[in-house]
Every structure is written in structure tokens, then in C-alpha cells.
């Protein structure tokens, strides 16, 4: 990058900006506690000041690496300057959004204390100096040295705990102002870690310790309910997990096989209605004793699997837009059908638009998920109980997805996705493998649907539209897969979390939801078509003109391994 500022001056500005950014959260930014987060205290950061402090610390770390301090440079193997620029933008956005929100919500800039103005100037100096530094990117970055096994496992655990802390902060923000300041900071912070090469190093370590990664991920997720004192935020986490579970199932169809399914939410509804009918609800048209949950789950999976095979068998010979139109039609047919099975327009089965309500809580091996329990001295309410169950469901779906993707069947799916004609010429029977993927994805959606019916205590047709203001629906599920990253495990989880949290935190979002999501997808397709957590092969395909031959060989070797 060509600079118009002397590099020594740029380094000085960056260092001063980083120091002031770290100091500014310890000063009051406003005089009244009316603004969320209580930013009135000197010496004690609160609310969005904590985000500025964390992003400032990250920027200070990369500043030290960019200035070549001994022992710090190794923390940015791919180069520190680009990472510093992203970190400075993280601090800049969260600080300016917070100070601007103080002025807007409290009635003018006079409500901003000197600490807030100092923070604005500090992050501006930091970002300006960082963008004036000469680029030091190393392509490709040098290979990382292997650490001892205990050290690498400890690093994996620390990474997952840090990710959980970030997600927990996003879930537990009390106001739209705090979440609006947090969101861009998290995005630019993740970009800084990627630009520094840290994300790639962590991925290399994860690839060597897959069992440790699975254990660390599960253990970190189990920590969340222990950090909550009520069910308010745990309920949000439950809905995110339901959304993520269904998105993972859809990722088999879309990400691994490349089939565009626009009616996938119907399989979620199939599982939910199957569970509701045998739940023992007083509104169920099946007047039978409630089934045990394990039998209900198997029924929901079996009915959804059958529905997937029945729909897939006559339609999967279609391709592209034609298949998308057929699956969209199936989703609407399902919703209209259950809406008409009310005993008037059709047989009495689903109670029509009223649905099946008062679905009782799950009782599994004597454990009632609707009653509070005490675990290790912590009281678990209803939503915390369902959180643990949904973690188990996610674990099952991730296991099935990972094993299927690494198997001979998974390789056949990927071959069909990349070039169906070439795969067929190599002896892969496309229709059979696509039908298998369609059935497996439907089966996993049915499993999530059985839990969702008990969690929401109802199954009504309006829950299973193609597009609605509240996820999950087919449009949101597909957006979660595309936004997060097709063909990966963590991608749909990230996409589902974002697409659920953003409408939940911003009330005004519901009025312009589809327009804003459409705009977001357009921006994603332009600047990051591979998704937020991309598959390395997809990343290479979408950015083939921006990578060197050495990078291409490296990615090909990783894919082969």
C-alpha cells in the first residue's frame, strides 16, 4: 500500500491512539445512567465501554506486532498491519456508534462527557495511523510449529471459551444500542484474527485434534446455562439451537450435494406435528396415552424421512431452478394441508389454523424438562433443561453430518455438487445419492421438530411458512447456510445465531426484515460469497484470481489430507 504519511509518524500515531483507546473506557462517557450500560463511572468500564476496551487491547497487541516488538511478532504470522487495520476499525465502529447513540437517545452531544470525546479521538488516531502503515502481509504465511499435545488441547479449550464469551455477551445485551455497538466490533475483530493468520493456525491445530475439538466445544456450550440467573437469555439460546439444528440438516442438502431446497421447513413441521399428535395433549386428535420421548423422536424422524423420500423420488431428477420451484411448492402444500385438516375442509387431524396446543413438557427417564432442577448448586429452569437437550440434539446432528461427509457417500455428494455429469461418468448414481441426502436432511429436521414442538408447547401452521418475520422458516434457513458457509459445520451455526439475534435485538428490524436481509445477501455475494466460515475449497474457487500458486497447492494438499 502506498502511504502519504511518513512511516515513523504513522507508527507514532498508532501507538498514541492505541494507548488512549485503552485508557478511554476508564473515564465516564456520559453523565446519566439513563443510557444502557451505565457509562457514568470513572475507573470502571461498563456496557459498550467493555467492547471498546477489548477491541483496543486487540489493536494494541497487533500494534506491538507491527512495531516489531520481540516475542510479539509471532502472534501475527501472516502480517500484523492488515490485522491492526481491522482491529482499529472494530474499536472505531463500536466507539463511534456508542457515542453517537448517546447523543441521539439523550437529546444532544452535550450529554457526552470528555471521556467519550477522548475515546472518539483516540480510535480515530488509531485507525488513521494503522491505515498509513506500510503493508507487511506474508503470502503464504510460514507453517506454524507444533506445540506439545497438552498445550494444543489447552489452546483449543481457550479458543472455544473465548468464542462462548463473545456469543454470551451478544445474547445477554440488554439494549439495541449495546448490540449495535457489539455487532461490527465482533465482525472486524474476527477479520483481524483471520488477517493475522491466527484463524488458520487454530484451524490447523483443530484438524490434528478433532476429538479434543468436539469435547471442548461441548464443554464450552455446557458452561452457558451456569452463567445465567434466569430463563430470559436461555430462551433465546434455545431458539438459536433449534434454528441451528435445522440449518445443519439443510446444509447436507444444500452444502454437500448442492440441491436448492426452498421448502425445507416443512420437514421441521412434519416432525413437530408427529410429536404433537402422540404427546398426550388435550388438543390432539389422537386420544392416546403420551408416548415416551425417545419413541416420539423416532416417530418424528421416521415420518419426516418418509416425507423426504416421497417428495424427493419424483422431483430429484429436476435440476437448478426447477427443483427449487418444486420444493417451494411442497413447503406451501404442507402448510396449506395442515391448515385444512380441521374436520371441516378436510379430515380432523391437525385442528387447522388453531393447531395443537398445550403440548406437555418432555419427560425422559424420569427427568421432567418442565420443572426446575438444581445442578452443582445452580438452579436450572425449564429453558435451561431444554438447552441441555438441544445440545444433545446438535451433537447428534453434527456427528451424523461429519461422519456422512467424510464417508464414501459424502465424497459422492461432493462430486455431484461439483460436476454431476463428470460424477455420473465415473459411475456415481446421482439420483440414488441425492435421494439419500434428501431423506437424511429431512430426518434430521424431523428430530429438531420433535423438540421444538415441546419447547414451544404448540404446533401451528403459521410456524412453517416460506418467509416470515420470525425464524425458522425456509428463507431464513437457506440464508443461514449461505451466510454462514455452505459445506461446513460451524458455518450454519454462526449464520443461525446471527439471523436469530439481529431481529431479536432490533425491534425496528421486523418492519424491514426481508429488505435488509436481501441487501445483506447481495453484499455477501459481492464481497464474501463463500460465507463467514468458508470451506477452504470454496474460498479458493471464489477467489481464484486473488491467490497465488503456492496457496492453491497448499489448499489442495489440505483438501487431499
Amino acid at each position: 500500500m502506498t502511504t502519504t504519511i511518513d512511516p515513523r509518524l504513522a507508527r507514532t500515531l498508532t501507538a498514541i491512539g492505541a494507548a488512549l483507546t485503552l485508557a478511554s473506557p476508564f473515564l465516564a462517557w456520559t453523565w446519566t445512567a439513563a443510557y444502557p450500560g451505565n457509562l457514568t463511572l470513572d475507573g470502571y468500564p461498563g456496557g459498550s465501554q467493555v467492547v471498546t476496551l477489548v477491541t483496543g487491547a486487540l489493536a494494541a497487541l497487533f500494534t506491538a506486532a507491527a512495531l516489531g516488538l520481540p516475542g510479539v511478532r509471532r502472534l501475527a504470522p501472516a502480517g500484523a498491519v492488515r490485522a491492526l487495520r481491522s482491529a482499529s476499525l472494530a474499536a472505531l465502529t463500536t466507539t463511534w456508534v456508542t457515542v453517537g447513540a448517546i447523543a441521539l437517545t439523550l437529546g444532544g452531544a452535550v450529554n457526552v462527557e470528555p471521556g467519550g470525546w477522548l475515546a472518539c479521538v483516540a480510535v480515530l488516531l488509531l485507525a488513521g495511523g494503522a491505515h498509513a502503515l506500510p503493508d507487511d502481509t506474508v503470502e503464504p504465511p510460514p507453517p506454524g510449529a507444533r506445540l506439545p499435545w497438552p498445550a494444543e488441547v489447552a489452546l483449543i479449550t481457550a479458543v472455544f471459551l473465548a468464542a462462548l464469551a463473545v456469543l454470551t455477551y451478544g445474547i445477554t445485551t440488554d439494549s439495541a444500542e449495546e448490540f449495535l455497538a457489539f455487532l461490527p466490533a465482533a465482525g472486524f475483530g474476527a477479520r483481524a484474527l483471520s488477517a493475522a493468520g491466527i484463524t488458520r493456525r487454530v484451524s490447523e491445530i483443530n484438524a490434528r485434534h478433532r476429538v479434543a475439538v468436539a469435547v471442548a466445544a461441548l464443554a464450552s456450550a455446557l458452561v452457558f446455562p451456569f452463567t445465567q440467573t434466569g430463563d430470559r437469555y436461555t430462551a433465546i439460546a434455545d431458539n438459536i439451537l433449534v434454528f441451528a439444528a435445522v440449518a445443519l440438516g439443510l446444509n447436507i442438502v444444500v452444502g454437500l450435494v448442492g440441491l436448492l431446497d426452498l421448502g425445507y421447513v416443512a420437514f421441521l413441521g412434519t416432525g413437530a406435528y408427529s410429536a404433537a399428535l402422540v404427546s398426550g395433549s388435550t388438543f390432539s386428535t389422537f386420544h392416546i396415552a403420551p408416548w415416551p420421548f425417545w419413541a416420539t423422536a423416532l416417530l418424528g424422524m421416521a415420518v419426516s424421512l418418509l416425507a423426504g423420500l416421497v417428495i424427493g423420488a419424483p422431483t430429484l431428477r429436476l435440476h437448478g431452478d426447477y427443483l427449487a420451484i418444486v420444493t417451494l411448492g411442497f413447503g406451501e402444500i404442507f402448510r396449506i394441508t395442515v391448515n385444512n385438516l380441521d374436520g371441516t375442509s378436510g379430515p380432523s387431524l391437525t385442528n387447522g389454523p388453531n393447531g395443537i396446543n398445550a403440548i406437555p413438557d418432555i419427560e425422559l427417564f424420569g427427568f421432567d424438562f418442565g420443572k426446575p432442577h438444581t445442578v452443582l448448586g445452580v438452579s436450572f429452569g425449564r429453558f435451561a433443561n431444554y438447552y441441555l437437550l438441544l445440545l444433545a440434539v446438535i451433537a447428534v446432528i453434527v456427528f451424523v453430518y461429519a461422519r456422512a461427509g467424510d464417508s464414501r457417500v459424502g465424497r459422492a455428494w461432493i462430486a455431484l455438487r461439483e460436476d454431476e455429469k463428470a460424477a455420473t461418468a465415473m459411475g456415481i448414481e446421482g439420483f440414488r445419492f441425492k435421494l439419500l441426502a434428501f431423506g437424511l436432511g429431512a430426518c434430521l429436521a424431523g428430530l429438531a421438530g420433535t423438540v421444538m414442538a415441546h419447547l414451544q408447547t404448540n404446533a401451528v401452521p403459521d410456524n412453517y411458512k416460506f418467509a416470515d418475520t420470525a425464524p425458522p422458516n425456509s428463507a431464513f434457513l437457506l440464508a443461514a447456510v449461505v451466510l454462514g458457509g455452505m459445506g461446513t459445520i460451524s458455518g450454519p451455526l454462526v449464520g443461525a445465531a446471527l439471523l436469530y439475534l439481529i431481529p431479536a435485538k432490533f425491534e425496528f428490524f421486523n418492519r424491514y426484515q426481508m429488505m435488509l436481509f436481501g441487501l445483506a445477501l447481495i453484499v455477501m455475494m459481492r464481497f464474501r460469497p463463500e460465507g463467514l466460515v468458508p470451506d477452504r475449497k470454496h474460498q479458493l474457487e471464489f477467489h481464484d484470481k486473488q491467490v497465488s500458486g503456492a496457496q492453491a497447492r497448499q489448499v489442495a494438499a489440505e483438501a487431499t489430507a
Side-chain angles (χ1 to χ4, degrees):
M1 175 180 176
T2 302
T3 60
T4 57
I5 301 178
D6 183 85
R8 290 176 294 181
L9 177 58
R11 287 193 290 268
T12 302
L13 290 176
T14 304
I16 294 174
L20 293 177
T21 300
L22 288 175
S24 62
F26 294 93
L27 301 174
W29 287 11
T30 185
W31 62 274
T32 172
Y35 186 82
N38 193 9
L39 312 184
T40 64
L41 302 178
D42 289 322
Y44 187 81
S48 299
Q49 288 176 319
V50 176
V51 184
T52 296
L53 181 62
V54 172
T55 54
L58 186 64
L61 180 66
F62 290 129
T63 298
L67 297 179
L69 293 186
V72 183
R73 174 67 188 185
R74 69 181 64 179
L75 295 177
V81 173
R82 287 189 181 180
L84 172 58
R85 292 170 183 169
S86 294
S88 68
L89 291 176
L92 178 71
T93 52
T94 187
T95 303
W96 278 70
V97 164
T98 301
V99 173
I102 290 173
L104 287 174
T105 58
L106 298 182
V110 68
N111 296 286
V112 180
E113 290 289 297
W117 296 119
L118 174 64
C120 289
V121 174
V123 294
L124 198 58
L125 288 175
L126 173 62
H131 284 77
L133 290 173
D135 197 355
D136 63 349
T137 303
V138 179
E139 290 290 354
R146 289 201 176 196
L147 301 174
W149 184 86
E152 291 193 339
V153 172
L155 179 61
I156 291 171
T157 304
V159 167
F160 276 101
L161 287 175
L164 175 67
V166 172
L167 181 60
T168 300
Y169 184 91
I171 291 175
T172 57
T173 48
D174 290 322
S175 66
E177 292 88 350
E178 287 182 289
F179 189 75
L180 185 61
F182 159 79
L183 198 59
F188 281 119
R191 173 58 187 158
L193 297 176
S194 177
I198 296 176
T199 304
R200 177 177 294 184
R201 291 288 170 84
V202 172
S203 298
E204 293 172 355
I205 295 174
N206 288 346
R208 295 196 291 266
H209 305 282
R210 293 191 175 185
V211 175
V213 168
V215 173
L218 183 59
S220 299
L222 286 172
V223 171
F224 176 79
F226 289 94
T227 65
Q228 305 302 306
T229 56
D231 279 340
R232 177 184 177 187
Y233 298 116
T234 312
I236 296 177
D238 287 350
N239 287 310
I240 291 174
L241 288 180
V242 170
F243 195 7
V246 186
L248 273 172
L250 177 60
N251 201 26
I252 292 178
V253 180
V254 176
L256 292 183
V257 196
L259 302 175
L260 186 55
D261 188 348
L262 298 181
Y264 189 75
V265 74
F267 300 123
L268 176 70
T270 303
Y273 269 100
S274 299
L277 288 170
V278 298
S279 64
S281 167
T282 54
F283 292 89
S284 172
T285 55
F286 288 4
H287 302 292
I288 58 176
W291 287 22
F293 175 70
W294 62 267
T296 301
L298 291 177
L299 175 67
M301 294 170 66
V303 174
S304 297
L305 172 63
L306 180 61
L309 296 178
V310 169
I311 298 302
T315 62
L316 285 178
R317 299 187 188 277
L318 301 174
H319 301 276
D321 297 340
Y322 299 100
L323 177 62
I325 292 171
V326 169
T327 55
L328 173 61
F330 163 66
E332 288 301 294
I333 289 171
F334 169 81
R335 183 181 62 83
I336 293 171
T337 299
V338 296
N339 198 54
N340 288 333
L341 296 179
D342 57 356
T344 302
S345 302
S348 178
L349 183 62
T350 65
N351 295 328
N354 295 322
I356 301 174
N357 300 291
I359 299 175
D361 287 302
I362 294 172
E363 186 171 342
L364 185 62
F365 304 120
F367 185 91
D368 190 339
F369 284 79
K371 295 180 179 179
H373 300 83
T374 300
V375 180
L376 299 178
V378 178
S379 179
F380 276 35
R382 178 177 184 272
F383 290 105
N385 295 333
Y386 277 99
Y387 176 87
L388 298 178
L389 178 61
L390 284 165
L391 278 186
V393 171
I394 288 281
V396 170
I397 294 177
V398 168
F399 176 78
V400 171
Y401 182 94
R403 298 305 299 169
D406 292 337
S407 67
R408 179 180 65 86
V409 174
R411 292 193 295 272
W413 287 341
I414 295 173
L416 289 169
R417 181 193 69 195
E418 298 299 324
D419 192 327
E420 184 172 349
K421 291 183 179 179
T424 304
M426 295 298 294
I428 297 176
E429 188 179 345
F431 173 76
R432 183 167 63 91
F433 281 103
K434 287 192 289 185
L435 185 60
L436 178 60
F438 212 73
L440 179 60
C443 181
L444 296 178
L447 174 61
T450 59
V451 181
M452 179 180 172
H454 290 278
L455 174 66
Q456 297 184 344
T457 69
N458 63 53
V460 294
D462 286 344
N463 287 345
Y464 313 107
K465 295 180 178 179
F466 168 72
D468 196 9
T469 56
N473 54 64
S474 292
F476 272 50
L477 291 170
L478 185 60
V481 174
V482 175
L483 177 67
M486 294 186 295
T488 64
I489 292 176
S490 54
L493 299 178
V494 173
L498 284 176
L499 291 184
Y500 187 86
L501 274 178
I502 291 175
K505 295 297 183 180
F506 300 137
E507 294 182 1
F508 71 90
F509 205 83
N510 288 332
R511 297 178 59 187
Y512 310 103
Q513 191 175 87
M514 298 310 296
M515 181 187 72
L516 293 176
F517 274 143
L519 180 61
L521 288 176
I522 291 172
V523 173
M524 283 292 298
M525 291 302 100
R526 173 61 183 86
F527 295 102
R528 198 173 177 84
E530 69 274 21
L532 297 175
V533 187
D535 177 77
R536 292 297 303 279
K537 286 184 65 179
H538 278 171
Q539 191 173 28
L540 180 63
E541 292 170 0
F542 284 119
H543 300 282
D544 55 346
K545 295 181 181 180
Q546 305 174 21
V547 298
S548 63
Q551 286 178 293
R553 290 191 294 272
Q554 179 183 359
V555 174
E558 291 176 358
T560 303

